[in-house]
Amino acid sequence: MSWVNNLLGELLLKSSQKYLLLVGILIIFQGSIINAQQTERPKIGLVLSGGAALGFAHIGALKLIDSLGIPIDYIAGTSMGGIMGGLYSIGYTAEDIEKISLGSDWMELFTDAPTRDYIPYLRKKDDGLFQFEFGLNGIKPEPPDGLVYGQKISLLLSGLTFSHEHIKDFDDLPIPFRCTAVDLITGKLVVLRKGSLAKAIRSTLSIPSLFSPVEWGDSLLVDGGLLNNVPIDVVLDMGADIVIAVTVSNPIMSRDKIHGNLNIVGQSMAIMRNSQMKEQSNKADILIKNELVGITVADFQKGKIKRIIDQGGKFAYQHIDDLIQLKKRYNLKKRSSLDSNQDEEKIVFGISITGNTTMPFNYIYKLLDIAPKDTFNYHIFEHKIRDLEQSDIFESLDYETRPVKDNYIRLLISVKEKEKPLIHGINITGHKNLSFSFIYKFLGIRPGDIFDKVSVEKQITELYSLGYFEKINYEITPKTEKSILLDIKIKEKPQNKLHIGIHYDDFYKLVGIAGVRGMNFIIPGMQIESDYYFAGFTSFKNKILFPSRMFNLMYYPYVNLIYKNIPIDIFDIGVRVASYNNRSTLYGGGIGILPYKFLNASVEYNHEYMDVDPRIAIPDTTMFPIWKDELHKFNASLDIDYLDDVLFPLNGFLLKARYESSLKQFESDIDYVRWEILWDYYHTYFDKHTIRYHIQYGNSEKELPRYKWFNFGGPKTFVGLDWNEVAYFRTSIFRIDYMYKYKKNLFGKLIGNIAPNYQGDFYPIMNDFVWGYGVGLCYRTPVGPIELTYSHGSNISVYSNRGTQKLLNLTIGCIFD
């Protein structure tokens, strides 16, 4: 351009009229060249690195880019950068992504377990019993592919992207997008450019060992950050001329801060990751480096996320001059429309329809009278848009144009329909062991229902809560202008599973629990549950049940077989004076009904053989005889479980009612009736203060044998007494616990309880009361609570109730009845 300016200068010095025409021509020529340069602006590529929670810093950079109005033509991301980039590519603004990030419970999303209000009782009753789960290949246990299958995060991604799932080529998204993953089979980097957007994003964030790999054709995909954490080369291959790259990392720790194995491993990973990012980052034109101090990759708490976003904004602002210079140099605008020359006609290179698109493309093309390869006239198209906005079809309708090359444009149309479509049909794929009819029955969605995203995701969560599935996802395909096809994609868990639980306390010491859960046992739909308790005591419980549904009421006939050999101690003034083994073998059957997820009622008939052989430490065999009885019993139970967590409840209530009768008219050796009611209520105030109210009542009629008496004592039932120290045939218990949340997983407790009226023939004193109080310290761990309790209470004697005692109790791990 300098030769043009020089020539103009010389011509202006000569004011001859014959040159004025040439001057005008040259000025017009210069303007056309400048205009051409501005039209043919360079393509801007945006690259967002991985970094787990550190990736929220990308939002700070996106907010700055949005505020400057810099258009992005291509996006590539890895891991958390893949989430941010994927959402940005389909029209979410930086502020939208910030609201999603701060409004999501990420710690909850990184688990698979539904909240307890979704879990049906047949699964809920196992809560707290086991810490580990393995699939069974024959009799061989197989650990899961990751700690998390990713059900909740997958469902979130489906909900955020479902209106774009019909776009299978990521080049057709509002902003062309790529994300990276690594194939575990070939060990090669995979650039995801086609398919399901939600599944692609889920693949790029599959941190090995944390998330299970994603099956993609013949590949098993994990986090792309293993091989390319800053995919600048990917966005260059897409056609970017200028690259803005945003990276996140922690600074390398100094010598004095490297202590312990975890720090050494973390430092080693940081060195490897930073070295890889440095090599790739050299290709960026503008590099925004976020070196976050005092933040870790696992800081997914809301307060920490806000802090990360703010720090990301500060690091991005350090490059504001570079971004402004880039914008000015090429006259960049956020939206490249035809407003500057509305009379010029263009050719439609391609059309992207996004938003709440449950209508077929062809139907929208027909309404707008536009299709790829058509001539685009701004005035005609604008008139059609305004007419449709006044119709009863769309709630909103918007569009923008982007130049592609020469005289071609890409047309981006965003729509939101007024009416929700009907579900035309339901397709279920991926099932192998469970039948279509079984899944369809429990899914609870039918053709003809109105499609509502929130309702569909709720029903999917309900189905997932049955425990049969590793993951369930959905996609929609427009069928007609008012209907869609719903595609439910599932992956089943192994039919047979092994569960392991570990418990420790002062009485039983170490108790191990091995449980097997089997599906389709003998016939489809039949289930088997087997639990074996060993070490501290011995018990074997086996139940075969067949869940069914009639008139929308779930019921299950069952048979059971139980053997137990549980030690029971007898105390005198706080000293164990005798013990006996409560041995029995029971078999029988019954039927249970589940009118609601939180409620279970059952009735059953049992045949039980008692073989109780006391071990006496004092010379009084009349008080502790041997029992060998045959019982024919009728049992009934009612359970209402509204607790938010069984191991560590903070809110809700629990009700258990038990009735048992043994009748000689059914050839039972002993006549008796016993019943028991237990009620627990929890409520948490101001997130830190939890109150528990506990009431328990037990009573009996006729001559209740001693091995059927109720027992209480120990930190779980009655502080101030040793484990099962009191045996009774009639009493009431009242207890109040106060728990204070000192830190995230550390709690302090104050406990008080009283039994104002207990009766038992060990104790000649009637209408007396037992009391106790204590303090406790509880630490919540992934394998269950660790609780230390110090208590003071009544000292029970075989012959009298006298004195007091002080106890220190420790419990660890799972719980059991």
Side-chain angles (χ1 to χ4, degrees), residues 588-605:
I591 187 168
I593 59 172
L594 295 161
Y596 305 101
K597 285 183 170 57
F598 57 85
L599 190 151
N600 174 77
S602 65
V603 293
E604 64 181 55
Y605 179 78

Side-chain angles (χ1 to χ4, degrees), residues 8 21-35:
L8 281 172
L21 180 60
L22 180 59
V23 170
I25 293 173
L26 288 173
I27 291 173
I28 295 172
F29 176 64
Q30 181 185 33
S32 65
I33 293 176
I34 294 173
N35 185 62

Side-chain angles (χ1 to χ4, degrees), residues 266-411:
Q267 183 85 326
S268 302
M269 295 291 291
I271 291 171
M272 180 178 67
R273 183 173 59 250
N274 291 353
S275 175
Q276 181 198 82
M277 287 198 300
K278 183 178 180 181
E279 181 181 347
Q280 280 287 332
S281 300
N282 290 333
K283 304 173 185 176
D285 296 281
I286 297 177
L287 176 62
I288 301 174
K289 292 178 62 177
N290 294 269
E291 287 200 345
L292 303 165
V293 179
I295 299 291
T296 73
V297 294
D299 285 334
F300 284 94
Q301 298 82 13
K302 184 175 180 179
K304 294 289 184 67
I305 293 173
K306 178 62 176 172
R307 182 179 167 190
I308 295 170
I309 294 172
D310 291 342
Q311 287 195 28
K314 292 177 181 177
F315 280 107
Y317 194 80
Q318 294 174 6
H319 297 270
I320 189 170
D321 291 339
D322 296 331
L323 294 170
I324 291 175
Q325 185 179 1
L326 174 67
K327 180 180 179 179
K328 288 182 176 179
R329 183 186 306 151
Y330 299 106
N331 192 26
L332 300 178
K333 295 179 181 179
K334 183 66 175 179
R335 291 184 174 217
S336 300
S337 66
L338 295 180
D339 292 351
S340 59
N341 192 356
Q342 297 174 359
D343 294 326
E344 184 179 355
E345 292 189 338
K346 298 284 185 177
I347 305 298
V348 178
F349 179 81
I351 302 176
S352 293
I353 299 177
T354 61
N356 186 25
T357 45
T358 55
M359 294 180 177
F361 286 172
N362 290 337
Y363 178 70
I364 298 176
Y365 292 164
K366 182 179 178 181
L367 289 174
L368 293 170
D369 193 22
I370 194 77
K373 299 182 180 180
D374 284 356
T375 299
F376 179 88
N377 181 284
Y378 171 85
H379 298 287
I380 296 175
F381 192 76
E382 183 73 16
H383 183 70
K384 291 175 183 176
I385 288 287
R386 300 301 159 238
D387 285 346
L388 285 174
E389 283 184 331
Q390 302 302 317
S391 71
D392 59 355
I393 300 175
F394 298 105
E395 183 177 316
S396 63
L397 189 62
D398 198 7
Y399 78 99
E400 65 173 291
T401 62
R402 292 184 180 175
V404 179
K405 57 181 180 179
D406 299 331
N407 203 38
Y408 289 86
I409 62 161
R410 180 182 294 278
L411 184 60

Side-chain angles (χ1 to χ4, degrees), residues 304-536:
K304 294 289 184 67
I305 293 173
K306 178 62 176 172
R307 182 179 167 190
I308 295 170
I309 294 172
D310 291 342
Q311 287 195 28
K314 292 177 181 177
F315 280 107
Y317 194 80
Q318 294 174 6
H319 297 270
I320 189 170
D321 291 339
D322 296 331
L323 294 170
I324 291 175
Q325 185 179 1
L326 174 67
K327 180 180 179 179
K328 288 182 176 179
R329 183 186 306 151
Y330 299 106
N331 192 26
L332 300 178
K333 295 179 181 179
K334 183 66 175 179
R335 291 184 174 217
S336 300
S337 66
L338 295 180
D339 292 351
S340 59
N341 192 356
Q342 297 174 359
D343 294 326
E344 184 179 355
E345 292 189 338
K346 298 284 185 177
I347 305 298
V348 178
F349 179 81
I351 302 176
S352 293
I353 299 177
T354 61
N356 186 25
T357 45
T358 55
M359 294 180 177
F361 286 172
N362 290 337
Y363 178 70
I364 298 176
Y365 292 164
K366 182 179 178 181
L367 289 174
L368 293 170
D369 193 22
I370 194 77
K373 299 182 180 180
D374 284 356
T375 299
F376 179 88
N377 181 284
Y378 171 85
H379 298 287
I380 296 175
F381 192 76
E382 183 73 16
H383 183 70
K384 291 175 183 176
I385 288 287
R386 300 301 159 238
D387 285 346
L388 285 174
E389 283 184 331
Q390 302 302 317
S391 71
D392 59 355
I393 300 175
F394 298 105
E395 183 177 316
S396 63
L397 189 62
D398 198 7
Y399 78 99
E400 65 173 291
T401 62
R402 292 184 180 175
V404 179
K405 57 181 180 179
D406 299 331
N407 203 38
Y408 289 86
I409 62 161
R410 180 182 294 278
L411 184 60
L412 307 179
I413 303 172
S414 175
V415 302
K416 185 175 183 181
E417 299 98 47
K418 280 188 176 179
E419 293 185 10
K420 294 179 179 179
L422 298 178
I423 297 175
H424 181 271
I426 299 172
N427 186 32
I428 300 174
T429 58
H431 55 99
K432 297 178 181 178
N433 300 307
L434 296 171
S435 66
F436 174 91
S437 60
F438 178 88
I439 300 171
Y440 179 72
K441 179 172 62 176
F442 282 97
L443 178 62
I445 302 173
R446 301 290 180 263
D449 291 349
I450 294 175
F451 173 78
D452 178 77
K453 181 179 78 73
V454 175
S455 177
V456 167
E457 291 181 4
K458 181 178 182 295
Q459 291 301 115
I460 287 177
T461 302
E462 297 259 7
L463 180 63
Y464 183 80
S465 68
L466 296 175
Y468 300 140
F469 308 99
E470 182 177 305
K471 56 187 175 184
I472 308 176
N473 215 329
Y474 73 97
E475 295 179 9
I476 64 168
T477 304
K479 178 67 175 177
T480 68
E481 59 269 24
K482 293 184 179 180
S483 67
I484 56 98
L485 290 174
L486 182 61
D487 191 7
I488 305 294
K489 299 178 181 294
I490 70 173
K491 183 179 180 182
E492 297 169 338
K493 285 185 176 180
Q495 289 193 82
N496 302 317
K497 290 174 285 186
L498 172 66
H499 301 264
I500 300 293
I502 300 173
H503 171 90
Y504 174 85
D505 61 49
D506 309 294
F507 180 69
Y508 296 114
K509 305 304 179 184
L510 187 65
V511 178
I513 310 170
V516 174
R517 301 291 182 265
M519 294 165 41
N520 297 328
F521 179 71
I522 302 177
I523 62 174
M526 184 172 287
Q527 301 177 21
I528 183 170
E529 300 175 353
S530 297
D531 296 329
Y532 175 54
Y533 297 73
F534 55 93

